[in-house]
Amino acid sequence: MSSAQNKKALDLLFQHPLEPVFATRDNGKAILDVPDSFYTEQYAEVKEDIQNRFGEEVDVKIPIKDLRLKPNLDFTSLLTKRSQFSLFYAPHRRIAAQLIQLLLEPNNEEDFIALAAYVKDRVNAFLFQYAFAVAVQHRKDTAGFQVPVIVEQFPKNFVEPSVFQDARAEGKLVPDPGNRRRIDIPQNFTASDREEEQRLSYFREDIGVNSHHWHWHLVYPGSGPEEVVRKDRRGELFYYMHHQLMARYNVERFCNALAKLQPLNNIREPVDEGYFPKILCSLNSRTYPGRVSKTKLKDIDRDGRVLELADIERWINRVVQAIDQGYVTDSRGNNLPLDEVKGIDLLGDIIESSDLSVNSGFYGDLHNQGHNVISFSHDPDNRFLEDFGVMGDVTTAMRDPIFYRWHGYLDVLFNRFKEKLPLYGPQELGYDGVTVQRADVRIISSSKNIINTLLTYWEKSDVDLAAGLDFGPGGSVYALFTHLQHSPFEYLIEVNNNTGAPKRGTCRIFLCPITDERGTPLSLNEQRQLAIELDKFTVNLMPGVNKINQSYDNSSVTIPYERSFRRIGTGHLPNDPQKLAEFRFCGCGWPAHMLLPKGKPEGMPFELFVMISNYEGDAVVQRNNAPDVCGDAASFCGLKDKLYPDKRAMGYPFDRRLPADTLTALTDNFSNMKKTPIKILFRNEVVDRKRN
């Protein structure tokens, strides 16, 4: 268990990632008092002046112990301090994996903090923050510590550049942080409405959405020590989390009168979508390069490393062949069946590809290298000395429309496997004696009883840039951004248990689109691939009618707004021990304000699908019986240090073909399922969220 001083030291190490470790933090109130040997060559000769300058007026001075043996960091030299860091680039992943291993080795928290403080100024800042965050998440002595959201560490990766000029001016001219104005971030600053894809900018450029993607890869790193990478059903979770991203994105397209996206199934064809991100890389203050429309992807030849488009095509062919023949071949020549239980997990590890791939030499590095070939499309041979575009960075990749076309194609590969599995039958879908009699939604309102109509609108919220404004003003500086939001709502479910005995089940709630952008009805097989998971929870059913009221904010998919945009520092931590524990688990989860799709001003029709599955087929016997640490986003993120809490395939029952032609026919055949027509109404108005 961390002491208060150690928690404070960890907190300070996350702040101002580009400032030296000896600089003041916490608005000039705290400092890490490091040994003389920790000063880099750049500051060694002036360390006494620095100590006098930074050590006089601080309220908190935390002594950092010296290291008996300094680590050899030569392995990080490939990644210079001002280079961009990419988890999609294999050499960078290997460096990060080695640094994570190094940070996991200290036997106690004090040694870990000392090692991190020494390393911080000697390696690339993005590399350090990533490896440090992964180590904090996976060490037993620091696992309860809150990792700050990425936007508050590297705000330039999320915020339009002119905001920083205004923020520094505000900080200098208005000394009292309480009197500083909130600086508005333009809602549409990357393209005009002449570009159709800009209709989805509120989704792609949402701070919470991009933070989720970064945090998921933080909790599930693809490379690193065995104990960090090998998590239960990791490959399947890679598939399912990204599958749900694709379902949500395509439904948002329908909401905005756009067709379902075309998967990037031919990397030889020019990319129709251009994208100019207009954000800065925090490390070198260069803009992330843009991509013009009709860009042609080319072989990459940079830093003495060559990636041919033919390599990617070869890996795709091998994955397709494995799916069609029903097995993959591991590096020892053994054939491993792609069965109903383990098949999707094997494929997920292979396609990503993580360290868990059974044969990376043969099946390659498909997902990651796809990101790379797109992210370097503007300068494939480095003749202009340009670094990668947003597709090369997990914090920014989801901003680019091509992210969804590339992952859309990977989802096609996964679905190719899913389509070959046998249809679900009555034994797998039914629950004898259990009938869902009602499945409605209701807006939570004191004045109106609004049933089966949900409401979305724009909301203005703020995020504190201070901790990431290196060499900037002291005190909080807030940026104001506009995002999608929905009115609070609850599910009203009635289930009749006529077995005469108590039963247990899992309530599974999905939102299914009914028509495409043209109003053409979707088939059940199309609906199942676009079904959006809203919630999943265990229910105890007494004999007779059971009334279940479930609030949207208990969703198994989302994390609360406060954890997407939480404030840094102990002053913003909850006092209640249970809420504190929930607050600290890594922030992995879909942002709550994006739980619902946008809908339409006239109302967009959907079908709410509710199923009670038999808990005997759902239950997982956990090897670790410790209390769950923030399992509220378990559908996307699993449980910390535990098995995935659902024995069924992720996305069940919509992960495979179903024994019906329509959703109506399916729910009519199974009493434990019910669908209800609902609509989502979008109001094009902006509400200012009140800051706590």
Side-chain angles (χ1 to χ4, degrees):
M1 182 67 69
S2 294
S3 67
Q5 181 169 281
N6 286 346
K7 287 178 182 176
K8 188 65 176 177
L10 293 170
D11 183 31
L12 297 180
L13 282 167
F14 275 112
Q15 293 183 28
H16 299 295
L18 300 184
E19 292 190 11
V21 68
F22 53 74
T24 57
R25 284 163 168 76
D26 255 10
N27 301 325
K29 297 177 181 178
I31 193 171
L32 296 170
D33 188 11
V34 298
D36 289 352
S37 62
F38 281 36
Y39 285 79
T40 60
E41 183 178 343
Q42 181 180 0
Y43 299 106
E45 293 184 2
V46 292
K47 62 178 178 292
E48 291 184 5
D49 291 340
I50 290 171
Q51 291 164 350
N52 291 334
R53 176 187 170 195
F54 287 129
E56 290 178 354
E57 298 181 0
V58 298
D59 296 331
V60 177
K61 182 182 290 189
I62 300 177
I64 303 298
K65 66 188 297 186
D66 204 351
L67 295 176
R68 184 177 59 83
L69 185 63
K70 303 295 193 293
N72 183 346
L73 298 174
D74 288 348
F75 67 90
T76 68
S77 60
L78 173 69
L79 185 61
T80 64
K81 296 200 69 174
R82 292 302 180 192
S83 297
Q84 289 178 268
F85 167 67
S86 174
L87 285 174
F88 301 121
Y89 187 45
H92 289 187
R93 287 202 309 275
R94 287 193 289 269
I95 292 171
Q98 196 168 342
L99 186 55
I100 292 167
Q101 180 63 57
L102 179 68
L103 292 171
L104 290 176
E105 288 174 359
N107 294 323
N108 57 63
E109 195 174 14
E110 289 76 16
D111 288 345
F112 167 59
I113 291 170
L115 178 61
Y118 179 83
V119 168
K120 182 183 183 303
D121 290 348
R122 289 169 168 79
V123 301
N124 178 281
F126 250 115
L127 167 68
F128 174 78
Q129 293 294 88
Y130 169 73
F132 181 53
V134 172
V136 166
Q137 290 281 281
H138 292 87
R139 287 180 61 90
K140 286 186 168 53
D141 49 11
T142 59
F145 180 81
Q146 60 157 350
V147 172
V149 291
I150 189 66
V151 66
E152 293 187 344
Q153 298 177 59
F154 294 101
K156 288 182 181 179
N157 287 39
F158 298 86
V159 178
E160 199 267 337
S162 65
V163 170
F164 296 100
Q165 183 176 343
D166 293 342
R168 294 184 193 282
E170 194 73 13
K172 184 173 183 178
L173 299 174
V174 184
D176 183 358
N179 293 329
R180 293 172 183 167
R181 66 185 175 93
R182 297 184 293 172
I183 300 160
D184 205 6
I185 303 172
Q187 187 173 9
N188 287 307
F189 64 87
T190 48
S192 71
D193 57 10
R194 295 177 63 184
E195 172 55 50
E196 280 192 343
E197 295 298 327
Q198 193 64 9
R199 299 181 201 174
L200 273 295
S201 64
Y202 68 89
F203 184 99
R204 291 185 284 100
E205 295 169 358
D206 183 84
I207 291 175
V209 166
N210 283 273
S211 293
H212 158 72
H213 189 237
W214 171 79
H215 241 131
W216 190 92
H217 283 278
L218 188 73
V219 177
Y220 290 95
S223 297
E226 178 86 0
E227 66 270 25
V228 169
V229 178
R230 190 170 292 282
K231 294 187 174 75
D232 184 49
R233 295 169 71 178
R234 187 202 183 285
E236 184 179 6
L237 199 51
F238 171 82
Y239 146 72
Y240 185 61
M241 190 277 288
H242 288 90
H243 168 76
Q244 279 289 296
L245 291 185
M246 299 313 305
R248 287 177 171 274
Y249 190 71
N250 277 312
V251 171
E252 293 289 347
R253 295 181 69 86
F254 294 164
C255 294
N256 290 277
L258 292 174
K260 184 180 175 182
L261 59 80
Q262 291 297 313
L264 189 64
N265 58 0
N266 185 347
I267 58 176
R268 301 285 179 174
E269 289 185 355
V271 175
D272 288 337
E273 297 83 359
Y275 185 62
F276 292 83
K278 299 179 179 64
I279 53 174
L280 298 174
C281 171
S282 296
L283 294 181
N284 55 24
S285 291
R286 292 183 183 179
T287 57
Y288 280 89
R291 182 185 63 255
V292 298
S293 300
K294 302 294 183 181
T295 293
K296 193 171 183 180
L297 303 182
K298 298 179 180 178
D299 297 345
I300 306 299
D301 184 359
R302 299 172 62 101
D303 304 322
R305 293 175 176 84
V306 176
L307 169 65
E308 296 181 356
L309 297 183
D311 292 329
I312 294 176
E313 292 168 328
R314 192 176 301 112
W315 298 332
I316 289 172
N317 290 336
R318 289 171 180 174
V319 168
V320 169
Q321 181 181 350
I323 292 170
D324 289 348
Q325 67 191 12
Y327 63 85
V328 295
T329 304
D330 69 15
S331 57
R332 297 181 178 179
N334 301 310
N335 293 334
L336 308 176
L338 294 175
D339 59 22
E340 299 174 26
V341 179
K342 291 291 186 181
I344 191 67
D345 198 43
L346 287 169
L347 278 177
D349 289 328
I350 284 171
I351 289 174
E352 185 181 3
S353 108
S354 73
D355 286 355
L356 304 184
S357 172
V358 296
N359 195 345
S360 59
F362 183 71
Y363 296 108
D365 194 9
L366 179 55
H367 158 258
N368 297 317
Q369 295 291 25
H371 272 265
N372 287 331
V373 79
I374 295 168
S375 70
F376 285 119
S377 60
H378 58 283
D379 190 16
D381 58 5
N382 205 26
R383 70 178 59 198
F384 299 112
L385 303 180
E386 283 289 310
D387 222 320
F388 55 73
V390 292
M391 272 289 281
D393 189 337
V394 292
T395 64
T396 57
M398 288 188 66
R399 303 174 74 89
D400 193 332
I402 201 65
F403 172 93
Y404 303 89
R405 290 194 60 201
W406 176 236
H407 275 275
Y409 181 62
L410 299 183
D411 202 54
V412 167
L413 296 178
F414 285 121
N415 190 56
R416 186 185 186 97
F417 163 72
K418 287 286 188 176
E419 293 266 319
K420 291 183 177 296
L421 298 177
L423 275 65
Y424 279 126
Q427 187 174 357
E428 296 160 302
L429 295 174
Y431 196 175
D432 291 341
V434 172
T435 302
V436 180
Q437 298 179 160
R438 181 188 186 188
D440 292 329
V441 288
R442 176 175 65 189
I443 290 179
I444 300 173
S445 170
S446 58
S447 58
K448 298 179 182 178
N449 188 28
I450 303 174
I451 300 291
N452 294 333
T453 295
L454 298 174
L455 181 65
T456 64
Y457 54 90
W458 300 122
E459 182 177 72
K460 280 188 178 291
S461 298
D462 55 37
V463 61
D464 189 0
L465 305 181
L469 273 179
D470 296 283
F471 309 104
S476 295
V477 181
Y478 290 99
L480 194 64
F481 62 98
T482 304
H483 59 86
L484 191 66
Q485 184 57 282
H486 58 83
S487 294
F489 67 93
E490 62 182 343
Y491 305 100
L492 306 176
I493 302 168
E494 292 183 7
V495 182
N496 185 19
N497 171 12
N498 58 16
T499 65
K503 293 290 182 181
R504 203 173 189 193
T506 301
C507 184
R508 303 170 187 273
I509 305 177
F510 290 84
L511 187 69
C512 300
I514 299 174
T515 61
D516 65 12
E517 81 288 355
R518 298 168 299 168
T520 304
L522 299 169
S523 68
L524 176 58
N525 201 43
E526 290 172 319
Q527 280 185 295
R528 76 164 186 85
Q529 294 179 58
L530 295 168
I532 294 171
E533 182 175 348
L534 294 179
D535 205 351
K536 180 171 58 180
F537 53 92
T538 303
V539 290
N540 294 311
L541 304 173
M542 300 305 294
V545 176
N546 296 259
K547 294 186 176 182
I548 302 167
N549 286 28
Q550 175 83 344
S551 174
Y552 78 98
D553 57 8
N554 290 323
S555 170
S556 65
V557 172
T558 63
I559 57 173
Y561 174 94
E562 290 74 21
R563 272 193 280 133
S564 286
F565 306 106
R566 60 193 178 195
R567 305 286 182 245
I568 286 179
T570 55
H572 300 290
L573 293 176
N575 293 321
D576 179 77
Q578 183 175 347
K579 291 182 178 179
L580 181 63
E582 292 175 354
F583 186 87
R584 280 180 169 156
F585 174 51
C586 84
C588 184
W590 189 248
H593 63 273
M594 297 293 286
L595 176 62
L596 296 180
K598 181 182 176 184
K600 294 182 177 179
E602 67 273 22
M604 182 169 174
F606 289 90
E607 288 177 319
L608 183 75
F609 174 87
V610 174
M611 174 186 187
I612 306 293
S613 58
N614 190 336
Y615 189 73
E616 291 182 5
D618 308 335
V620 173
V621 179
Q622 296 287 358
R623 298 188 293 262
N624 176 2
N625 293 319
D628 293 343
V629 179
C630 183
D632 53 359
S635 289
F636 278 10
C637 300
L639 294 177
K640 186 173 175 60
D641 301 324
K642 291 190 174 185
L643 302 177
Y644 190 81
D646 185 1
K647 193 174 181 179
R648 308 277 189 181
M650 297 178 196
Y652 165 88
F654 291 120
D655 67 299
R656 283 157 60 179
R657 283 187 175 270
L658 295 160
D661 294 326
T662 66
L663 195 58
T664 299
L666 181 72
T667 54
D668 286 349
N669 288 340
F670 295 95
S671 65
N672 60 317
M673 303 177 188
K674 188 171 181 62
K675 75 173 183 67
T676 303
I678 69 169
K679 65 179 179 179
I680 298 180
L681 188 69
F682 170 66
R683 287 185 178 170
N684 192 18
E685 59 185 41
V686 182
V687 176
D688 195 351
R689 185 183 184 93
K690 301 301 181 183
R691 194 191 324 162
N692 293 332

